[in-house]
Amino acid sequence: MEYRSIAGTAVSAIGLGAMPLSIENRPGEARAVATVHAALDAGVTLIDTADSYHWHAGEVGHNELLIARALARYGGDTSGVLIATKGGRGRPGDGSWTVTATPAHLKRAAEASAKRLGVEAIGLYQLHKPDPAVPWAESVGALRDLIAAGTIRAAGISNVTTGQIRQAHRILGDGLVSVQNRYSPAVRDSEPELRLSTELGLAFLPWSPLGGISRSSLDGPSGPTSTGTAFQRVAAGRGVSPQRIALAWLLSRSPTVIPVPGASRPASVRDSARAAELELSPTELTQLDEEALPG
């Protein structure tokens, strides 16, 4: 496994996006735990979760509790695993997503997440999405207060613009360590945010990193994946999955990129983890860089 850095902490170059283990059409707990264990066996040391990763009303924190149980049942050493969780979004249970990023809510949410994860301090706590009803500086200020209180060790922000990154960086300084935006072969409109993150030394964690190859659970019902693209052609030539090629391509975009592909079965996470071993040639990268996939 190749390693990259989040604020000086070495983590696997490929993380595990744990959302599919808890939302609609989630697997049973045995398979979910087996998926987490397969990730750990493959060398994955970054697990991305959120308090809003659940299906039904009344089960806030389902994914965090699941991850905590899976780690507790793992037979190996988990001391080097970084759990990155998020707060600021909600799920009423009707399939919709809400946004609440008031300082009071974020502080309560972070304290509850730490309790569910069974940690004294959350390694990486991310503001899930800007709240249009709350000044951005106030939401980010809550992250600063959580660091000062020792509830979280470092902060990240998600679904943000370059202006919001710069403002958060001014407020948090070295406390801001990551940006998590949607970015994939099919959705590349966060290029400016990726460039800025690289400039500032912030880890960039693409969500839905397999867009155009396979769909994220947040993208709605799964449709047919694209065929006959450069990603499929390179994959066929390599004898690997298009998903693995997509993740290797993402890793090539910047040394700060750490994809967190979702998985709901052990085979998927094993395949994703092996993308860190794959070095694409300049010719292959040119072909993939020029590919425009439907979002």
Side-chain angles (χ1 to χ4, degrees):
M1 174 61 73
E2 177 189 342
Y3 288 85
R4 294 195 168 185
S5 176
I6 298 181
T9 298
V11 298
S12 55
I14 301 292
L16 169 64
M19 181 178 70
L21 302 177
S22 289
I23 65 165
E24 288 83 340
N25 303 310
R26 63 196 181 203
E29 177 148 336
R31 196 176 91 191
V33 169
T35 300
V36 176
H37 288 179
L40 299 173
D41 289 341
V44 171
T45 61
L46 173 65
I47 300 178
D48 182 74
T49 180
D51 61 1
S52 58
Y53 290 170
H54 62 89
W55 186 349
H56 307 291
E59 55 176 23
V60 173
H62 181 281
N63 199 242
E64 293 172 325
L65 290 168
L66 173 65
I67 297 304
R69 290 194 297 272
L71 291 177
R73 296 174 192 172
Y74 187 63
D77 181 17
T78 61
S79 61
V81 176
L82 175 62
I83 305 299
T85 192
K86 296 182 283 295
R89 299 205 76 177
R91 301 209 73 196
D94 60 359
S96 66
W97 297 76
T98 60
V99 182
T100 306
T102 62
H105 174 83
L106 291 173
K107 291 175 183 179
R108 288 194 304 269
E111 291 166 359
S113 288
K115 184 175 181 179
R116 285 189 290 265
L117 292 169
V119 297
E120 292 184 6
I122 296 169
L124 174 57
Y125 191 70
Q126 303 161 98
L127 200 166
H128 208 153
K129 189 174 184 178
D131 185 341
V134 179
W136 178 238
E138 292 184 13
S139 296
V140 175
L143 300 180
R144 179 193 55 208
D145 294 344
L146 285 165
I147 293 173
T151 307
I152 69 176
R153 293 195 175 95
I157 51 179
S158 182
N159 299 300
V160 288
T161 64
T162 55
Q164 289 166 333
I165 294 172
R166 291 188 186 281
Q167 187 176 7
H169 191 251
R170 287 194 295 270
I171 294 169
L172 293 169
D174 292 341
L176 179 65
V177 302
S178 68
V179 171
Q180 186 169 163
N181 275 16
R182 186 181 184 187
Y183 187 76
S184 71
V187 181
R188 307 187 190 186
D189 52 5
S190 276
E191 288 279 0
E193 289 75 24
L194 170 55
R195 287 194 298 270
L196 179 58
S197 296
T198 302
E199 174 189 324
L200 296 175
L202 305 175
F204 188 86
L205 315 178
W207 67 262
S208 192
L210 299 175
I213 306 300
S214 60
R215 295 172 65 84
S216 162
S217 298
L218 277 179
D219 296 336
S222 293
T225 57
S226 54
T227 58
T229 69
F231 287 86
Q232 273 75 23
R233 291 192 295 273
V234 171
R238 290 277 191 152
V240 301
S241 70
Q243 287 83 355
R244 201 184 302 182
I245 296 296
L247 294 171
W249 173 78
L250 284 165
L251 290 173
S252 77
R253 305 301 287 168
S254 166
T256 69
V257 168
I258 305 172
V260 285
S264 61
R265 59 186 70 245
S268 299
V269 75
R270 291 189 196 105
D271 185 68
S272 292
R274 294 196 64 186
E277 308 166 2
L278 187 59
E279 185 172 347
L280 297 167
S281 72
T283 299
E284 289 170 330
L285 286 172
T286 297
Q287 294 173 2
L288 300 174
D289 289 346
E290 293 175 350
E291 182 75 78
L293 297 176

